[in-house]
Amino acid sequence: MMISAVFGYKFGTYRARKAVVLADTTAQPIDSVVVNGWASEQEYDYWKNGTFTIPEYNGIPLPFQRAIVKIFIDNKYHSTNEYFLTKIRDRAKKVIAYGDFTGNGDREMAFLLEKRDYSSSAIWIITERGNIIYWKQIDGELPTIKRFSKGELIYLEKMELVPAPRNGLVLQTKSSKHVLIYNRHTKTFDSHYQYTTKDIRPARQEIEEDASDSNDTSSSDISH
């Protein structure tokens, strides 16, 4: 699987969105603030059915719905159909996850979009105000995602399970599993491969064989 990464503040024609809430004296009574990461009420009303095409998405909180509609508008996904939310009803619940992934105390949402080739996808992570904090294209795979919590056992740098330092995401494909976890130093998400029993067994066997060879050599040296 070839994965090419482009992050929210630096991809395509996207402009960074600042989490600024401005009072708007011209706003309609039901929309007392304007958030520049959201579609306007008029845009949302016009485009929501073309964005959320199956009932399974009705439960997405309204701020996130408006943020997703804004992403579709800005990238012209409604006209190009380059990316879209899955239309498979029993898959829909597996392409959305919520949590405080950055550890900033914000409510954040991760979601997957399918590409029009029906074999590739992209993952987005956004805040409730529509700030894009992560975007990555995933070529040749249609993964699922789910949240894991701080303290759950995961693989990070080594073939050794350790408690997760913060909340994160499991990205599961047919051939592999990775976790995405926020790196506070680089201000982005790092991907870590999650080893399987098939990975671990040969590695342990190789270590045991190396240790055995080393012991045999040591014994031979002593005997001489």
Side-chain angles (χ1 to χ4, degrees):
M1 178 180 69
M2 180 181 70
I3 300 179
S4 58
V6 186
F7 302 111
Y9 292 98
K10 196 179 176 182
F11 73 88
T13 60
Y14 242 93
R15 298 189 302 271
R17 296 177 183 165
K18 299 178 182 178
V20 178
V21 182
L22 302 176
D24 184 4
T25 56
T26 63
Q28 298 179 19
I30 59 172
D31 200 11
S32 60
V33 297
V34 171
V35 178
N36 62 355
W38 292 349
S40 69
E41 287 185 280
Q42 292 80 9
E43 289 171 330
Y44 172 73
D45 289 341
Y46 185 82
W47 291 111
K48 63 181 179 181
N49 291 334
T51 307
F52 309 105
T53 55
I54 54 177
E56 281 69 17
Y57 299 126
N58 293 344
I60 297 174
L62 182 59
F64 287 121
Q65 287 198 31
R66 289 178 64 173
I68 293 170
V69 170
K70 175 70 169 172
I71 287 171
F72 272 59
I73 291 171
D74 287 354
N75 286 278
K76 298 181 173 58
Y77 291 161
H78 295 113
S79 58
T80 66
N81 204 37
E82 182 182 9
Y83 283 102
F84 52 88
L85 286 160
T86 183
K87 299 175 178 63
I88 302 172
R89 299 182 68 166
D90 60 357
R91 176 175 162 79
K93 63 182 180 181
K94 300 176 183 178
V95 299
I96 294 172
Y98 302 95
D100 177 13
F101 303 117
T102 60
N104 293 325
D106 297 325
R107 191 181 188 192
E108 296 156 351
M109 176 184 181
F111 61 96
L112 294 167
L113 298 181
E114 294 184 13
K115 200 170 184 179
R116 61 185 173 190
D117 63 4
Y118 293 99
S119 63
S120 301
S121 54
I123 182 170
W124 299 72
I125 304 176
I126 61 175
T127 70
E128 200 165 17
R129 298 197 185 281
N131 292 328
I132 302 161
I133 53 180
Y134 187 73
W135 181 89
K136 178 182 282 188
Q137 181 174 310
I138 306 171
D139 292 330
E141 292 284 1
L142 292 171
T144 58
I145 55 173
K146 66 179 180 178
R147 174 184 176 272
F148 65 84
S149 300
K150 178 180 178 180
E152 290 189 37
L153 296 179
I154 60 173
Y155 294 102
L156 289 179
E157 303 298 336
K158 301 177 181 179
M159 196 179 287
E160 178 182 339
L161 286 168
V162 296
R166 59 187 58 85
N167 300 336
L169 290 161
V170 175
L171 189 69
Q172 177 84 54
T173 69
K174 290 182 179 179
S175 58
S176 66
K177 180 192 295 185
H178 290 75
V179 298
L180 291 176
I181 194 161
Y182 188 68
N183 185 323
R184 289 178 176 172
H185 299 292
T186 61
K187 307 299 181 185
T188 188
F189 287 80
D190 293 337
S191 176
H192 298 276
Y193 177 73
Q194 299 302 285
Y195 298 100
T196 66
T197 303
K198 291 182 180 179
D199 298 321
I200 294 171
R201 188 180 294 120
R204 287 180 175 171
Q205 184 176 351
E206 184 176 343
I207 291 171
E208 291 170 358
E209 289 174 353
D210 289 344
S212 177
D213 290 343
S214 177
N215 291 335
D216 290 345
T217 302
S218 297
S219 300
S220 177
D221 290 342
I222 292 172
S223 65
H224 285 83

